């Protein structure tokens, strides 16, 4: 939010936010208009969804997922929410409250699943048992449950709140290693295929500062705290590096991600390992998988009987390794 | 240079440099061995040159170009130097002194050209007259004169001192814009073709900290000061951003550049605009060009009659624009 007496580019009234990338300031009304247009443009450019589609929005209680749910409803889409309880201590308890409140205040439909109640494990326990980084078990669990909820509920599309900063940081990480498989898969739309639902990221043209501003203006109360386990991970370093470039070259971040989609992604078509793989059905749950039993069911199988690991143990473990 | 009492990985004697990327410390002797091996490996991996080739090393008086000349002689190559006087005030006067001293002390052959004496212009004047960034006129002039000197002198290969930091920063800049043409051309070897000599960058596996250490150990006196016109340009920001990544993930910079060459460059083969272009001979100088008169001769034509512009004017101009 800007402090000096700048004026809205659209109407000349006092501005509440400056956007160096657009070389302009905006009042609350015209910032919302710009925000909606950026979402509409992403949806159109990448054929994300159409009026009449049934959307399922994966919500975490953070600014991005609540903002994307809100703006899609504003734009006239039919969108329900889906929340996964990850069992990450107080963070998960609070995030569930924010999501529930958002849905209740607006009379929206919210589906929920809880890893501990419904599958007998949680993210800290999975991390401890598998000895892998917690973010990996968490991401895999969420992807599986988003897919399942969409297929079971007859939704056309799964929506996630990934913003420009998220996507640019992931792209930077993939580029630093030139991981061609990951680069080939990094698209704002994954089409429905092989038993997977369509997945879209309508906020790719908006920064996290902009989604925070949207929430503030729209009176959306969200969990500001980041996941305590993810705090300090590499993506945050990548975001900082890109922000330092952005500070001297406004719009560099948007160019980096959007030009990738425009110029490089077409050259990588068909180079993802998933493009080549044959998919069967998981023997346990029926989800599409290249193995006999899918990664999610294997994780449940390994962790469901295990004694519950408190989140602090995973945090301590991470700290001692640094 | 490390201050604590670390030991050389190879011999256990006191170390003089720590290389986090190699997770090791080295004494002067074994650091030089590592340095030579990295150069040999780059030469082998990319078929840069062979014993018996006549090499022309483009030298600026800075650490990288003097180090590459020195190490190539060490490795048994026949290498002469080539210096271009750019007319950038005191910086050019001093850089010429360093180059001359290096060559004289070692009894080496040094060819020289001076933009002002031989072509009637200099970099500050070219920048002012063309109203383009000085680095652009400078780079184009040098490339032309390196090519010409190599062809005229019957050299097989032009050598430049670009190090890993340089190449990674250029790659980062090209990646931020996804400039496919530039990405496709970014190779450590450009083969001789269409009247251009072969060009190689044997220091791509070594950082600027390592080339500085080489010079220190080998008693090579070099100009520490950066070009005053280039100071503060975008490449320096890119280097800083990559260095911040490297600080938390040692070897990230090397992976970024070398994995690009390994995994991505092959996918870009044939996508450079130069691959498609038909080249004729410059009507004025005979150099290969897509135009009737080459860019160098056009620059000479525009600038040679112009009143000399002191370097300070170009610096002021840059500062006021920021």
């Amino acid at each position: 939010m800007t402090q000096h007496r700048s004026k809205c580019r659209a109407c000349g009234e006092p501005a509440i936010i400056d956007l160096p990338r657009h070389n302009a300031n905006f009042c609350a009304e015209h910032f919302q208009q710009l925000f909606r247009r950026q979402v509409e443009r992403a949806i159109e450019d990448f054929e994300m969804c159409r009026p009449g589609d049934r959307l399922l929005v994966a919500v975490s209680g953070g600014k991005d997922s609540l903002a994307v749910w809100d703006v899609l409803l504003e734009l006239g889409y039919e969108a329900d929410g889906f929340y996964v309880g990850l069992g990450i201590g107080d963070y998960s308890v609070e995030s569930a409250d924010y999501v529930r409140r958002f849905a209740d205040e607006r009379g929206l439909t919210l589906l929920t699943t809880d890893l501990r109640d419904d599958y007998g494990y949680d993210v800290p326990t999975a991390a401890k048992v598998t000895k892998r980084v917690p973010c990996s078990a968490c991401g895999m669990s969420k992807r599986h449950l988003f897919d399942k909820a969409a297929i079971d509920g007859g939704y056309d599309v799964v929506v996630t709140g990934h913003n420009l900063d998220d996507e640019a940081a992931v792209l930077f990480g993939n580029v630093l290693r030139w991981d061609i498989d990951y680069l080939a898969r990094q698209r704002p739309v994954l089409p429905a295929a092989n038993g997977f639902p369509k997945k879209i990221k309508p906020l790719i043209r908006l920064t996290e500062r902009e989604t925070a501003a949207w929430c503030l203006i729209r009176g959306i109360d969200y969990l500001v705290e980041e996941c305590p386990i993810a705090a300090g991970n590499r993506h945050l370093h990548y975001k900082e590096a890109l922000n330092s470039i952005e500070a001297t070259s406004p719009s560099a971040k948007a160019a980096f991600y959007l030009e990738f989609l425009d110029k490089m992604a077409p050259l990588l078509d068909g180079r993802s390992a998933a493009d080549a793989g044959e998919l069967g059905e998981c023997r346990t749950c029926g989800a599409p998988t290249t193995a006999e039993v899918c990664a999610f069911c294997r994780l449940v199988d390994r962790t469901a009987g295990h004694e519950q690991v408190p989140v602090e143990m995973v945090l301590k473990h991470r700290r001692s390794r640094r």
Side-chain angles (χ1 to χ4, degrees), chain A residues 17-268:
Chain A
I17 189 167
D18 64 304
L19 299 179
R21 177 161 62 99
H22 297 281
N23 195 23
N25 306 304
F26 293 93
C27 70
E29 183 190 330
H30 289 108
F31 171 72
Q32 289 178 76
Q33 186 184 78
L34 176 140
F35 193 99
R36 283 191 301 266
R37 283 188 182 159
Q38 294 291 341
V39 173
E40 286 177 315
R41 183 157 168 206
I43 290 173
E44 281 166 30
D45 283 355
F46 298 99
E47 300 178 8
M48 292 187 173
C49 52
R50 287 177 302 192
D53 279 347
R54 287 190 67 220
L55 311 182
L56 185 66
V57 183
V59 279
S60 69
K63 62 189 183 321
D64 302 310
S65 57
L66 295 182
V68 76
W69 195 2
D70 185 53
V71 72
L72 287 171
L73 293 169
E74 267 262 304
L75 293 173
Y77 288 96
E78 186 189 336
D80 295 341
F82 178 58
Y83 174 81
V84 180
L86 301 164
I88 304 176
D90 292 343
Y91 170 76
S92 286
V93 174
E94 287 183 48
S95 67
D97 287 346
Y98 280 96
V99 170
R100 171 58 61 199
R101 214 151 44 223
F102 179 89
D104 287 351
E105 284 172 5
R106 291 161 181 78
L108 303 174
T109 300
L110 177 66
L111 315 182
T112 64
T113 292
D114 188 87
L115 289 185
R116 172 64 48 199
D117 295 346
D118 299 327
Y119 297 95
Y121 76 101
D122 50 43
V123 167
T125 306
K128 181 81 178 168
V129 172
T130 60
K131 292 175 184 154
R132 291 177 57 190
V133 284
C135 299
S136 149
C138 181
M140 188 272 282
S141 300
K142 287 194 290 192
R143 281 192 298 275
H144 176 89
L145 294 169
F146 295 168
D147 292 348
K148 176 175 157 53
I151 300 288
D152 290 354
Y155 291 93
D156 300 297
V157 182
V158 170
V159 179
T160 56
H162 294 95
N163 60 42
L164 175 59
D165 296 82
D166 296 327
E167 295 302 294
V170 169
L171 178 60
F172 190 25
N174 291 336
V175 158
L176 280 173
R177 288 180 303 276
W178 292 99
D179 189 318
I180 304 294
D181 179 34
Y182 280 23
L183 285 170
R185 275 190 278 166
Q186 196 175 355
R187 308 292 170 92
V189 172
L190 293 177
N194 303 317
F196 291 113
K198 183 173 184 176
K199 279 171 240 178
I200 68 171
K201 300 174 180 174
L203 298 188
I204 52 157
R205 300 185 63 87
L206 293 155
T207 65
E208 51 190 29
R209 182 163 167 270
E210 288 155 10
T211 63
W214 173 269
C215 288
L216 202 61
I217 293 168
R218 302 273 300 169
I220 298 171
D221 219 15
Y222 64 88
L223 182 60
V224 174
E225 195 196 332
E226 296 277 338
C227 169
I229 302 179
N233 74 9
R234 277 205 195 131
H235 275 194
L236 297 183
H237 290 301
Y238 300 156
K239 282 187 181 180
E240 282 165 21
L242 290 172
N243 284 341
S244 78
I245 301 288
E246 180 80 13
T248 50
S249 310
S251 86
K253 201 190 298 172
F256 174 54
Y257 178 63
L258 297 172
E259 296 289 297
F260 167 79
L261 295 180
D262 193 39
K263 295 186 196 156
M264 181 53 86
L267 303 184
L268 298 171

